[in-house]
Amino acid sequence: MQIKMPKNFDHHYDHLLILSQFSLLLLNLLSPSSAAPPPIGICYGRVANNLPPLTVAVDILKANNIKNVRLFNANPATLSSFSNSGISVMIGVPNEILPTLTTSSAAVGWLQSDIFSSIPANQVRYIAVGNEVFLKDPFYTPHVVPAILSLHQALQTLNLSHSIKLSSPQAASVLSISYPPSSASFAPDLKPVLFLLLQFLRDTASPFMVNLYPYFSYLNNRPYVSVDYALFRDPNPVQDGALVYDNLFDASVDAFVSALEREGFGGVEVVVSETGWPTSGGEAASVENALAYNREVVRRAAEGVGTPKKAGEGVEVYLFDLFDENEKGGEEYERHFGIFGPDGLKAYDLGFN
Ligand SMILES: *[C@@H]1O[C@H](CO)[C@@H](O)[C@H](O)[C@H]1NC(C)=O
């Protein structure tokens, strides 16, 4: 192994470097062949007027050993605060920007001015192109796949298409049938545009992203869905063919796995781009329940538990939300998903490692 060093490089470090490369090699040889646990991230929504300074957010993530964050836009100050922090980012392209990304040169310009001028490319894990567009913001539906294709060409031009993956997080209700999981199917009217997205995801080995909230399923389907089923503690599991489901998270992820298989895209991985539980503001919204939910989601990812259909293949998840967002609209509970208070202290004692 030949390592090039500057002339005046201290021999001491030279040896250290060789030694550390050697131990990396050893580690690789000795580590078991099982897959590494998937990344666990936190969403950092900023629709609030009482957020702590950006550096506090970065310090919180570091102190809790959280290596991935999802940002909903390419705000330069936010991106810069994560620059060289060792934290990987998923960056959202806001829905309103999608119509401007019609050519690869427009996309190169946007990537360079709005992303890579603020954060090194090797910290960017995903670019999330739009959010819940097909169901919640359908005006932009025709722009999603063209923007993805422009950004992909742009990433190819910049030689970054292998390290930065593109996807477009969807609302869970893009499934018109989700129960039982093996019968799940995408809403028929969305299938044409989903098909184009899924072809892209398959061809580029990129994941299907879904924002998944068992809390909402519970709220909308009481009393058929019990809070215990949503909180991983139902004593009465549900049988689905040969598989047994004792919680709604697994059942929901596997519903997507089945729906993807049904359309011929079984090889596309499912990433949960948002999930969480509110601490107040609604039925079953409490600190205890938020802790019970998030703790189990984190444990399953950290231990690579996987779902009944894909046992042992841990699901990559992004918890929602780093802080409460007091300027969000909608139901009261929408403003209470924060895991940390604005003072940087945990709202509840969730561990991450
Ligand atoms: C493109 O990036 C890869 C690493 O992903 C690197 O090995 C290769 O040399 C790069 N090619 C060019 C032309 O810069």
Side-chain angles (χ1 to χ4, degrees):
M1 173 169 22
Q2 177 118 40
I3 301 172
K4 284 207 180 112
M5 288 292 166
K7 278 251 165 57
N8 58 355
F9 202 87
D10 191 322
H11 264 290
H12 216 65
Y13 292 105
D14 197 321
H15 286 135
L16 267 183
L17 190 62
I18 291 171
L19 200 65
S20 71
Q21 295 208 341
F22 180 67
S23 27
L24 267 182
L25 189 73
L26 261 187
L27 263 179
N28 284 338
L29 289 175
L30 294 176
S31 68
S33 58
S34 68
I40 301 171
I42 293 202
C43 300
Y44 183 11
R46 295 185 45 81
V47 186
N49 61 16
N50 62 348
L51 295 174
L54 289 164
T55 52
V56 172
V58 177
D59 289 345
I60 288 175
L61 294 173
K62 281 182 172 171
N64 287 279
N65 200 24
I66 299 162
K67 306 247 170 35
N68 297 271
V69 69
R70 177 178 176 193
L71 307 170
F72 291 94
N73 57 42
N75 176 280
T78 313
L79 286 182
S80 299
S81 72
F82 284 101
S83 183
N84 300 310
S85 63
I87 295 169
S88 292
V89 296
M90 178 195 316
I91 302 170
V93 183
N95 299 352
E96 316 81 75
I97 292 178
L98 302 181
T100 69
L101 301 173
T102 47
T103 64
S104 69
S105 60
V108 168
W110 185 78
L111 288 170
Q112 288 186 322
S113 68
D114 284 54
I115 294 187
F116 302 135
S117 63
S118 303
I119 193 163
N122 65 8
Q123 270 182 267
V124 182
R125 177 172 175 82
Y126 296 120
I127 296 177
V129 184
N131 189 42
E132 301 191 351
V133 171
F134 301 158
L135 271 179
K136 303 290 171 68
D137 212 357
F139 174 79
Y140 294 103
T141 294
H143 301 286
V144 171
V145 172
I148 287 182
L149 296 176
S150 300
L151 284 163
H152 186 246
Q153 273 186 8
L155 290 173
Q156 283 179 320
T157 303
L158 301 170
N159 193 26
L160 293 169
S161 60
H162 294 289
S163 59
I164 301 178
K165 297 290 180 181
L166 297 161
S167 192
S168 183
Q170 301 300 321
S173 39
V174 294
L175 292 185
S176 56
I177 303 169
S178 59
Y179 182 86
S182 60
S183 306
S185 184
F186 289 107
D189 56 324
L190 298 180
K191 280 189 186 181
V193 69
L194 277 169
F195 190 82
L196 297 176
L197 173 63
L198 294 174
Q199 273 184 319
F200 172 83
L201 299 179
R202 179 197 57 202
D203 294 348
T204 56
S206 306
F208 182 84
M209 293 184 172
V210 60
N211 299 337
L212 206 70
Y213 289 91
Y215 179 69
F216 299 153
S217 308
Y218 157 71
L219 275 193
N220 298 328
N221 297 286
R222 282 169 297 164
Y224 306 105
V225 173
S226 75
V227 74
D228 286 341
Y229 192 56
L231 289 176
F232 300 94
R233 59 185 185 210
D234 194 337
N236 305 304
V238 176
Q239 189 86 30
D240 178 16
L243 302 177
V244 174
Y245 289 91
D246 61 8
N247 69 83
L248 192 48
F249 180 86
D250 281 353
S252 307
V253 172
D254 276 358
F256 277 92
V257 174
S258 294
L260 289 168
E261 286 173 355
R262 192 173 306 277
E263 303 304 319
F265 295 98
V268 174
E269 182 196 356
V270 174
V271 163
V272 174
S273 39
E274 284 178 32
T275 193
W277 196 283
T279 54
S280 70
E283 171 83 25
S286 70
V287 164
E288 295 72 30
N289 288 350
L291 174 59
Y293 180 78
N294 283 322
R295 186 170 49 199
E296 189 62 14
V297 169
V298 169
R299 184 189 72 80
R300 287 165 166 265
E303 294 178 8
V305 173
T307 60
K309 263 183 92 75
K310 296 204 164 180
E313 295 180 39
V315 182
E316 178 172 349
V317 290
Y318 292 80
L319 299 182
F320 188 89
D321 194 0
L322 187 57
F323 302 113
D324 280 355
E325 293 181 83
N326 68 357
E327 294 189 315
K328 286 200 90 169
E331 302 291 337
E332 183 60 30
Y333 57 73
E334 297 278 3
R335 293 178 280 285
H336 300 280
F337 275 89
I339 294 169
F340 293 87
D343 52 5
L345 297 176
K346 281 183 194 171
Y348 44 89
D349 194 21
L350 182 63
F352 292 93
N353 38 50

